Amino acid sequence: MLTQRQLFLSHLAQTSPIPLGLEIVRAEGCYLYDNEGKKYLDLISGISVSNIGHRHPKIINAIKDQVDKYLHLMVYGEYIQAPQVAFSKLLTDNLPSSLDCVYFTNSGTEATEGAMKLAKRSTGRSEIIGCINSYHGSTQGALSIAGDEWFKNAFRPLIPGTRQIRFNNFDDIELISANTAAVFIEPIQGEAGAILPKQGYLDSIRNRCSEVGALLVFDEIQTAFGRTGMLFNFQQHNIIPDILLLGKALGGGMPLGAFISSNSLMTNLTNNPVLGHITTFGGHPVCCAAGKAALEVLIESDLISQVPEKENLFRKQLIHPGIRAIHGQGMLLAVELEDFDIVQKVIQYCISNGLITDWFLFNDKCIRIAPPLTISKEEIEWACSIIKKALDQI
């Protein structure tokens, strides 16, 4: 009989020639457990998905309650479904008044696609601007505005009318013009290695967009839901985007994305043509029930207020000659090492010693630290000790 690993390699499409191949049979809190009973502290949260840990009881109960009522009923937007209504109301209650209309999708990359269409339809323009080393998803449209040529060159031709500017370069802001429908930007560049914006940069982007009539789209797929110390990262800059992209932690571990804008803008998808953007499974009732439960935990607990202290503890503990710098904010940190070879050796050492970390798509000199916000101080200290032992060995 074939093993699970053999079946995995034979019948599941692979995204790399060397997948981690851990056979996880259970997850709870900050830990994953493999088929041999070994436990791993999850330092990446499924890439910023499990912000309140794996299988939080409130999420599990919400899923069970919804499963007992109904699953899929009809394509999104046709029926009034209580989980969608309740979650959209909770989201918009915690957002500025201009972000009062939610379009649920299946994922973050689909939120990007929907926002691109909304921007074109609302402005009557076609140019979409992204940033070099940005990441907004892997579908054709999202890939077109991403900024890493190595990652997307094999799939050209992509969507025309897109261009990239350099993140944190004030001179490039002038490239945003009356031809621009929207600027898509991550308030922290995630896959570039958790790169923070320079002082005044996002304000200048906001001002330029307003000046030329372009829409500002903040991609908070990775930074939202407390990861950087506030519910949404844009709150830390006192800048309100025209469209907000959400995903990853939005569903509390279930697949869910959203693009959020004003009712006046979102109405543009209802006419010329009617059904301007549609989805079969976006806003699945079980996913919305799970997402609402996860957001309630964040709002009602002190997890977000603990983030700065936990960040400081990581920075205090991760002092080692092999660490060149630590980038990022909150529980989205990138630990810069000498080169990719050392990064890979550290990752493998950590995994063999019960700690899961990873690297960044467009920055292979950094290891990722993005644990569940529920991680304890003792777990942080232990994780840092393993990373330092790995560097000592290497």
Side-chain angles (χ1 to χ4, degrees):
M1 181 181 292
L2 294 177
T3 65
Q4 284 285 95
R5 181 178 181 83
Q6 289 169 322
L7 292 169
F8 167 77
L9 294 172
S10 298
H11 301 295
L12 279 177
Q14 300 297 311
T15 57
S16 83
I18 47 168
L20 286 178
L22 295 176
E23 188 174 337
I24 302 301
V25 298
R26 186 168 68 89
E28 201 84 35
C30 292
Y31 290 93
L32 309 179
Y33 298 83
D34 70 15
N35 58 326
E36 296 179 348
K38 182 177 179 178
K39 75 175 185 178
Y40 302 83
L41 179 63
D42 185 2
L43 214 56
I44 58 175
S45 309
I47 312 300
S48 301
V49 168
S50 303
N51 278 20
I52 61 170
H54 297 278
R55 298 187 70 253
H56 190 285
K58 186 162 184 176
I59 293 176
I60 298 302
N61 289 335
I63 290 171
K64 289 179 177 178
D65 287 346
Q66 183 55 42
V67 166
D68 285 339
K69 295 170 184 173
Y70 56 84
L71 300 179
H72 174 71
L73 298 180
M74 178 61 161
V75 293
Y76 172 80
E78 292 295 329
Y79 293 163
I80 299 171
Q81 300 184 48
Q84 296 172 349
V85 173
F87 193 20
S88 62
K89 178 65 164 59
L90 184 61
L91 279 166
T92 55
D93 282 349
N94 288 277
L95 286 167
S97 59
S98 60
L99 296 171
D100 62 355
C101 193
V102 181
Y103 194 113
F104 286 118
T105 63
N106 295 286
S107 65
T109 189
E110 291 176 57
T112 299
E113 297 285 344
M116 290 175 71
K117 291 172 66 178
L118 179 61
K120 290 181 177 181
R121 179 69 182 81
S122 300
T123 64
R125 304 172 183 179
S126 60
E127 181 182 75
I128 305 287
I129 291 179
C131 287
I132 292 172
N133 287 335
S134 65
Y135 180 72
H136 304 287
S138 289
T139 49
Q140 290 273 293
L143 194 60
S144 298
I145 60 172
D148 184 87
E149 197 56 35
W150 168 82
F151 190 68
K152 67 185 188 180
N153 187 53
F155 304 103
R156 291 191 179 278
L158 295 169
I159 292 177
T162 61
R163 72 188 312 175
Q164 278 71 49
I165 60 176
R166 291 169 290 179
F167 188 76
N168 276 333
N169 186 293
F170 286 83
D171 293 337
D172 282 8
I173 294 175
E174 293 299 316
L175 296 173
I176 304 168
S177 72
N179 297 319
T180 307
V183 176
F184 282 66
I185 195 163
E186 302 161 281
I188 297 176
Q189 279 205 312
E191 295 310 309
I195 304 301
L196 299 179
K198 292 180 179 177
Q199 184 70 33
Y201 177 71
L202 294 178
D203 291 285
S204 297
I205 293 282
R206 171 71 277 179
N207 292 338
R208 180 62 174 173
C209 285
S210 299
E211 178 186 338
V212 302
L215 299 180
L216 176 60
V217 183
F218 266 13
D219 179 343
E220 290 230 34
I221 293 167
Q222 189 162 189
T223 55
F225 301 108
R227 184 144 296 279
T228 65
M230 294 190 76
L231 192 58
F232 302 100
N233 184 267
F234 74 80
Q235 295 170 323
Q236 294 168 297
H237 303 285
N238 293 316
I239 297 170
I240 300 175
D242 299 298
I243 305 174
L244 177 67
L245 306 184
L246 299 176
K248 293 192 181 294
L250 176 67
M254 297 292 285
L256 190 64
F259 58 103
I260 304 177
S261 189
S262 65
N263 252 302
S264 58
L265 276 184
M266 206 70 85
T267 301
N268 288 310
L269 294 176
T270 68
N271 60 84
N272 296 322
V274 67
L275 304 176
H277 193 66
I278 51 178
T279 172
T280 298
F281 293 112
H284 192 283
V286 177
C287 300
C288 285
K292 177 175 177 287
L295 180 54
E296 286 171 343
V297 170
L298 288 173
I299 293 171
E300 296 165 3
S301 72
D302 61 351
L303 283 172
I304 296 177
S305 64
Q306 295 175 18
V307 167
E309 183 181 1
K310 290 178 179 179
E311 175 192 352
N312 289 336
L313 183 56
F314 268 113
R315 290 182 178 275
K316 180 181 177 181
Q317 292 288 319
L318 287 174
I319 297 175
H320 189 279
I323 295 175
R324 296 191 166 191
I326 299 177
H327 309 285
Q329 183 179 27
M331 293 292 92
L332 179 58
L333 301 175
V335 180
E336 184 180 338
L337 307 180
E338 184 176 345
D339 55 37
F340 183 59
D341 181 58
I342 291 178
V343 164
Q344 288 299 301
K345 289 177 180 177
V346 168
I347 289 172
Q348 291 303 316
Y349 180 93
C350 287
I351 289 174
S352 66
N353 286 273
L355 179 67
I356 294 178
T357 183
D358 198 7
W359 48 289
F360 290 86
L361 201 56
F362 307 144
N363 188 335
D364 60 11
K365 291 183 178 180
C366 292
I367 61 171
R368 185 188 305 265
I369 293 181
L373 307 188
T374 54
I375 191 170
S376 69
K377 294 177 183 178
E378 292 75 21
E379 288 166 338
I380 290 172
E381 290 173 349
W382 180 81
C384 292
S385 72
I386 295 298
I387 293 170
K388 289 186 289 187
K389 286 177 182 177
L391 289 169
D392 289 339
Q393 292 284 331
I394 295 164

